[in-house]
Amino acid sequence: MSDLVTFGESLLRLSPPGDNRLEAATSFEVQAAGSESNVAVAAERLGAVSTWLSKLPETPLGKRVVGELHQYGIRTDVAWSRTGRVGTYYLETGGDPRGSNVVYDREGSAVTTATPDELNLDQLRDARVFFTSGITPALSPELRETTKYLLQAAREAGTTTALDVNYRRKLWSPQEAQETLTGLFPGVDVLIIAARDAKTVLGFEGDHRQLAHKLASQFDFTTVVVTRGSQGALAWHDSVVHDQDAFETDTIEPIGAGDAFTGAFLARRLAGNDVQRSLEYAAATAAIKRTIPGDVARLSQSEVESVVSDGVPMVSR
Amino acid sequence: MSDLVTFGESLLRLSPPGDNRLEAATSFEVQAAGSESNVAVAAERLGAVSTWLSKLPETPLGKRVVGELHQYGIRTDVAWSRTGRVGTYYLETGGDPRGSNVVYDREGSAVTTATPDELNLDQLRDARVFFTSGITPALSPELRETTKYLLQAAREAGTTTALDVNYRRKLWSPQEAQETLTGLFPGVDVLIIAARDAKTVLGFEGDHRQLAHKLASQFDFTTVVVTRGSQGALAWHDSVVHDQDAFETDTIEPIGAGDAFTGAFLARRLAGNDVQRSLEYAAATAAIKRTIPGDVARLSQSEVESVVSDGVPMVSR
Amino acid sequence: MSDLVTFGESLLRLSPPGDNRLEAATSFEVQAAGSESNVAVAAERLGAVSTWLSKLPETPLGKRVVGELHQYGIRTDVAWSRTGRVGTYYLETGGDPRGSNVVYDREGSAVTTATPDELNLDQLRDARVFFTSGITPALSPELRETTKYLLQAAREAGTTTALDVNYRRKLWSPQEAQETLTGLFPGVDVLIIAARDAKTVLGFEGDHRQLAHKLASQFDFTTVVVTRGSQGALAWHDSVVHDQDAFETDTIEPIGAGDAFTGAFLARRLAGNDVQRSLEYAAATAAIKRTIPGDVARLSQSEVESVVSDGVPMVSR
Amino acid sequence: MSDLVTFGESLLRLSPPGDNRLEAATSFEVQAAGSESNVAVAAERLGAVSTWLSKLPETPLGKRVVGELHQYGIRTDVAWSRTGRVGTYYLETGGDPRGSNVVYDREGSAVTTATPDELNLDQLRDARVFFTSGITPALSPELRETTKYLLQAAREAGTTTALDVNYRRKLWSPQEAQETLTGLFPGVDVLIIAARDAKTVLGFEGDHRQLAHKLASQFDFTTVVVTRGSQGALAWHDSVVHDQDAFETDTIEPIGAGDAFTGAFLARRLAGNDVQRSLEYAAATAAIKRTIPGDVARLSQSEVESVVSDGVPMVSR
Amino acid sequence: MSDLVTFGESLLRLSPPGDNRLEAATSFEVQAAGSESNVAVAAERLGAVSTWLSKLPETPLGKRVVGELHQYGIRTDVAWSRTGRVGTYYLETGGDPRGSNVVYDREGSAVTTATPDELNLDQLRDARVFFTSGITPALSPELRETTKYLLQAAREAGTTTALDVNYRRKLWSPQEAQETLTGLFPGVDVLIIAARDAKTVLGFEGDHRQLAHKLASQFDFTTVVVTRGSQGALAWHDSVVHDQDAFETDTIEPIGAGDAFTGAFLARRLAGNDVQRSLEYAAATAAIKRTIPGDVARLSQSEVESVVSDGVPMVSR
Amino acid sequence: MSDLVTFGESLLRLSPPGDNRLEAATSFEVQAAGSESNVAVAAERLGAVSTWLSKLPETPLGKRVVGELHQYGIRTDVAWSRTGRVGTYYLETGGDPRGSNVVYDREGSAVTTATPDELNLDQLRDARVFFTSGITPALSPELRETTKYLLQAAREAGTTTALDVNYRRKLWSPQEAQETLTGLFPGVDVLIIAARDAKTVLGFEGDHRQLAHKLASQFDFTTVVVTRGSQGALAWHDSVVHDQDAFETDTIEPIGAGDAFTGAFLARRLAGNDVQRSLEYAAATAAIKRTIPGDVARLSQSEVESVVSDGVPMVSR
Ligand SMILES: [Ca+2]
Ligand SMILES: [Ca+2]
Ligand SMILES: [Ca+2]
Ligand SMILES: [Ca+2]
Ligand SMILES: [Ca+2]
Ligand SMILES: [Ca+2]
Ligand SMILES: [Ca+2]
Ligand SMILES: [Ca+2]
Ligand SMILES: [Ca+2]
Ligand SMILES: [Ca+2]
Ligand SMILES: [Ca+2]
Ligand SMILES: [Ca+2]
Ligand code: NI
Ligand code: NI
Ligand code: NI
Ligand code: NI
Ligand code: NI
Ligand code: NI
Ligand code: NI
Ligand code: NI
Ligand code: NI
Ligand code: NI
Ligand code: NI
Ligand code: NI
Ligand code: NI
Ligand code: NI
Ligand code: NI
Ligand code: NI
Ligand code: NI
Ligand code: NI
């Protein structure tokens, strides 16, 4: 029985070493990466027993994804499939003004055909929190249905539900996203959303405090977390807004910081911390994550706590 | 205007360094690889100006394929597409009894939708030889049509046509292959086929000499080349069978040796060598290819000639 | 509840890439390696749910060992310690006549102080088989006591006990090994021993069949497996000797083949196969293992089965 | 027929990975690098069909240079030589106050003996622009003659001529450079020059606008581009001076940015853009180039355009 | 006969490439590293013939340490031992707020048992300066005795003695350090100490000038150097305080900068420079060192001099 | 004072990793390599204090060569030059029938201008043996003079002289070699020569015993060693011929085995072993060398002795 169950896709992330370009790559670093598995890892590191649900083809590549996630310390409960691929994406990282670039190659992945009867729903019924992101319903019509079903099943079992909007413009249009996500919102207790997405996708306006208030009142969420990258985050909860600055950080890898934030926030809430304290842990986790190569928050709770209690550490020897 | 035009798919080959397993891979070496581009490179190295026709998505990955093929020295004439992927495959190499393993991930690639009107048919009409492999029609119904059309267009333009059967059991069944390929044979002048495929796919029986005779007589080919790996190859031409032993070789990479053989054979025929001499070049090219990492015959005509004229070289300094 | 529980040390194996010498190394490949964790992985791959018991320091290095073992698919139950190191060894591999060389640097590792009360004995009491190797009691006086205690606890709980003699001359003398191990034998049901060790350490004489008979009769084992490297293995069981040839193999990495053999043998026995069939699986597993870099049998049961049912596979595509 | 033809040397650039020192190097990254081939690549990427003329030894290293340049997308027309080397240089990159360091090892390279009759002058006669840099005549007395001849041949054929002064103090003294280059200026239409070189080498004084005016009036150039690194660039043309700021950039690799600037400027002029617009493209190309490892502007016109039309991109996914 | 003799431990530093975490490491870069060997290398590079005294096990790893130090250009005089290990430490480097982390694994190293009679004391008796750091007596009771003995032996032979306090909190407490080090101070001529250590370990107060004065007067040193990282350093000598700013630097690797500073200071004093000039060299050496990967100051005196005489160099070509 | 002094060139050897081709290389492994430095290293490892004399440019590359040779444990006495390059060669290794290929790029190296007055002749006058190879006089007319002078200077000082013919067809013709080398022979005491070179270069005939006899009698050598690769070696000394088989070996790197043989032979003769015993050490050293990547015999005397006293070692743990 897990504290947190997440559902979604984990892809193979193929990335040229260093600052190399995709067109020049003679090798790729490979890593399992996906918003919901990232969230599970971050939560596990911050104290929550976490399980990732998904569907994968029974190939060496599918097995590789699960092996890597086990290495990070989480549990998995996967529907093994004879058809479908392991989704991939190609990531090229680069400084300004080049910027980083993602080439998705994830169509036809096994998880896009996942139906509720293939998944071990007892996992989410027995959990305390169920999490998925807005990426999942963006992947296929089947997954829109499945996501809705899972949120409902969790709700019915008394499991708190959490959703990170995580809008990806290369997957769907703002209009499609709005329509689908607002259809899911009635089943969601905790919403995490970037201020940018609240505006672009949902069409809300105002400063971040206003965004949180409006979202909470319109969709009746228990908690709304609005993230603003290097400008911090805030959470609406019980009609109160809690504000949190971002910690300063030397960014090695921006990708995965949002997932680390979310996982840490959920884990600390599960551990009984109040909203303000959980935000502080979440911001510190995200700051450390940005110093770690790859998508995943390979860090420990004690490292997060030493950032929370301030002191930027020197070389420790 | 090229001596040789080939049509087919070139994929990204993703392969863990050394003898590492796919499940353990933290990085992949990446290379553009495909039977028809391999054949074009080998032919170019053996003296034939060669062009590869295909269809690719206009992404950094599609551009990467073309850039790599240019590096090998061939020309390309590609239909750039806004949809479809670059096909990939994962290759794990290993000694016996593990063996090597290929995981194809090539469904939905751009080339599978290639139609004759998207391709620059003048290329093959102006060429002296047009080549494709049995892999191409295996990839999609559209490509079965397109392959047939191209063979016909070449024939009508007076371009000699060549086909390597190259049966891939992970792509289609022997029955499907037989039906499709025998439908193409009337448009083919030069057939290259592994003895194994002649039996398994086409249902022929007998020793390799008999296979060549039967194939030639049944389908009215000008030339039939039957390959037998380390046991050598033979060619039927003008009712005569020419036999050629394989050269001894330290195999680093078995993949691509067949393509190297075929490219060299076609190039030497184009250069005016007789069938026996061309077989000798082809066997020597395949032997050198097996010492070279990757799919592609990165070698020179003078290296092939020094093998043909015997002497296994020592360290040359 | 596991089918198999193993107890022992897993070290960090530090090895220069390729055939490089230790004196020339500018980098090391690092891997968690240890006889008992290797056995657990091989058994898991062959179908037995497996757990590794040990003691490690609560440092990033200790966590790294556990993370890696999780990646291989086994469970761990570790006593976390504030003192002691993670043991290491440096491995240089080389062809003849250089040979491979191991420099042990494992003194003072946390596991050398492990006492029964620190370990979760319920794990082995609930298991069907408990396994350790002769390396474990070689590591410290405390571990000699602990090993004896664990064998006894397993026996009392009705858990079958298995021991691989695995003599290491850099750890102790034949005399010390003989004295300690023969003291443990009364608690052992299944003995695995290299023919060489039976002679050098235990002082037995005769051919391998005689060795098996004498060992079984003198120490009252249920099963005795005598291994002879490339010459195969044999097992004495119910007064019958079963013989098994080794499979031909292209050796990339000899280290870990014995552990793979043992893990597979135990797993197949647990799965209900008879001794002869289990030996066959064990020999096939060892053969595949030798083609895989590193200590660990990263392979699948279906791969083993395809070797057992003969066919050395070609490139499969 | 090319839009742009360039003539010069491309060397093998040997560079330790990362920030490593030459004295500590155990490996070198290798790349073909040279001002004129760099300019050709940048121009090709910005829309101009480009060909590089040179002379190379017919060795695997000479072939390697040409293969790499083909990969970048340009054409080559090389005089193959039985004597002479491929020039090399060793590059160590490092932060301040260490700085980067180049050790030239280029004496005796094949191109230093190139005479006009060895080169395919039809290439530059058929082109719209011919380009070389001040490095070329610095390499040997023969190349001073050849450079002069080529500029004249281009002029006579109605091909616009362009020269980048590109002073290298490790190749010749300011006095030698001044004497040689001013002797070439009468054959040059478009001059590109660093403000620093205008002062140090040519002895001009004043701010950059004055430098441009004086150069244009004294030598009767059609266009003079004065570059000032991070302070931008300006162009004198038809008695008007056009100013352009540099774009902000995260510099990974400063080397090659000047060549990227020049190639882009020439390509956009060839494409019909006015001087101001071409400068803007050139500055954006240089800014992106600085984020790309290696000498070469591996980028696309659309990337340059997205910088020109402002927006520094975020991770695009 | 050396100008400088140093005594201490050199460990194998095992560090994941790039910014990778220890828990994620699949390989380690390895380097010989230790304060006293680092100081010897820096001094050698700045003109002082330098010898490192130590004790190592006669294993490939011990030989590797000596080979690497020879590569840096220093001499070694090592007591070869049949027991004891080569100490190691694991270094993970990371930006803020993660920080770098060192996991020491150095207990039981051969040098911790070094006694004066095992060491070639003629080396330090014949030298002009003898140096060790506060790390050495922290390693074992035997080394406390040995350090004291060596300082005395040097003093008696008329060799100037120098000590860098170099407090390491993972080795001993401030109280232990204070007690031991103040017991050694009477044998020390030149003290190097971080302002931070003067406060934390020795309990001194005041600004850095006051710290220097108090230390000099209380312990009767000839010279006291107080270092303050990026805020510079100062030296008390003959009752005069000399101040030196730090040079600006792009830090690639902070570790070893203090050792580089000390080695350069001692070398320039040995070369006859006055205290102010020596400080300037020391600060420039430390600044360049920070741009060099690894512990060791792989640089040349001429590079240091070009920084001292100002100019931050551009790419030099 | 050294036992052995050698004189010659050490080049930077640039070699693509693995079996990669030069035309495909994106990186090179780099190592200092040269017959005379290789011989010095092998001799040092077998017990002879060894010094390498040469001339190098005072650049980071020249320093790199010396640093690497120090790492191997030998002494160097180098004339530092302001002109000339560090010679290089590109090495591509490959199995049959491709073979390995060397592209020399060593013209104009500093050592080619070395004159006796630039070299520290006291080194060879104080040594017991002076060694050079036939490569040295092949490099330039100056070096022919210098080699002759050094052999004479050694002879006059009572230093035994040794020469390895080491014919390189890419450096000079058999005729040039014969003329030059036979002119040097009167100054040589110990000749080492491949049977192949005795025939091809010197025009001798007969089996290897006859070759040794004829060489000894015609040129009045004290000792003649005739090597025959995998067929062993023999030595003529005091009118007796001593025969030695080659040891079986897994060849990783054939290059440098001859130098290892020669260095070991000279070192064991210096240590007082008789000719037969020294041949045995030499053959064992060459066999181990062939298992070690790179040019240099990174091995220990004890490893050689364990091969001499037979036993091919297993994994030692
Ligand atoms: Ca990257
Ligand atoms: Ca993600
Ligand atoms: Ca591979
Ligand atoms: Ca293929
Ligand atoms: Ca290895
Ligand atoms: Ca083991
Ligand atoms: Ca670099
Ligand atoms: Ca350049
Ligand atoms: Ca690092
Ligand atoms: Ca240190
Ligand atoms: Ca190689
Ligand atoms: Ca050599
Ligand atoms: Ni990375
Ligand atoms: Ni990254
Ligand atoms: Ni990354
Ligand atoms: Ni391969
Ligand atoms: Ni490869
Ligand atoms: Ni490969
Ligand atoms: Ni290995
Ligand atoms: Ni390996
Ligand atoms: Ni390995
Ligand atoms: Ni760079
Ligand atoms: Ni780079
Ligand atoms: Ni670079
Ligand atoms: Ni570092
Ligand atoms: Ni590094
Ligand atoms: Ni580093
Ligand atoms: Ni090699
Ligand atoms: Ni190598
Ligand atoms: Ni090598």
Side-chain angles (χ1 to χ4, degrees), chain E residues 13 15 29 253 293-294:
Chain E
R13 158 185 154 157
S15 180
E29 297 171 348
E253 171 89 61

Side-chain angles (χ1 to χ4, degrees), chain D residues 17 43 75 80 89 91 93 99 109 112-113 115 119 121 128 131 187 190 202 204 213 217 240 243 247 288 291 300 309:
Chain D
R75 304 175 181 197
W80 293 106
Y89 73 97
L91 170 67
T93 56
S109 66
T112 59
T113 63
T115 53
L119 302 167
L121 298 193
R128 294 169 59 205
F131 171 83
V190 179
L202 300 183
F204 282 74
H213 275 292
S217 64
V240 181
D243 225 318
F247 287 82
I288 299 177
T291 70
S300 67
S309 65

Side-chain angles (χ1 to χ4, degrees), chain A residues 19-21 23-24 91-92 94-104 166-170 196 254-256, chain D residues 45 71-72 247-252 284 287-288 291-293 298-300 303 306-307 311-317:
Chain A
D19 297 285
N20 206 2
R21 302 227 68 173
E23 75 156 71
L91 169 68
E92 173 187 297
D96 293 333
R98 170 154 65 109
S100 293
N101 189 31
V102 165
V103 178
Y104 280 132
N166 232 343
Y167 175 67
R168 295 282 181 265
R169 68 173 184 79
K170 291 189 174 173
R196 192 186 51 238
I255 293 175
Chain D
R45 298 300 174 112
Q71 186 183 18
Y72 299 144
F247 287 82
E248 280 190 35
T249 180
D250 296 331
T251 298
I252 286 289
I288 299 177
T291 70
I292 299 173
R298 295 183 132 166
L299 43 74
S300 67
E303 289 176 317
S306 88
V307 171
V312 170
M314 306 284 291
V315 179
S316 173
R317 59 184 175 181

Side-chain angles (χ1 to χ4, degrees), chain A residues 155-217:
Chain A
R155 173 67 61 87
E156 282 164 13
T159 304
T160 300
T161 57
L163 179 85
D164 180 356
V165 164
N166 232 343
Y167 175 67
R168 295 282 181 265
R169 68 173 184 79
K170 291 189 174 173
L171 294 179
W172 53 358
S173 69
Q175 291 70 31
E176 289 173 293
Q178 181 183 31
E179 190 178 337
T180 298
L181 293 172
T182 55
L184 297 175
F185 283 175
V188 171
D189 299 313
V190 179
L191 185 81
I192 299 100
I193 187 166
R196 192 186 51 238
D197 291 351
K199 294 174 179 167
T200 315
V201 179
L202 301 184
F204 281 74
E205 290 182 350
D207 72 10
H208 47 293
R209 303 179 73 91
Q210 293 169 319
L211 293 173
H213 275 293
K214 288 179 186 170
L215 282 160
S217 65

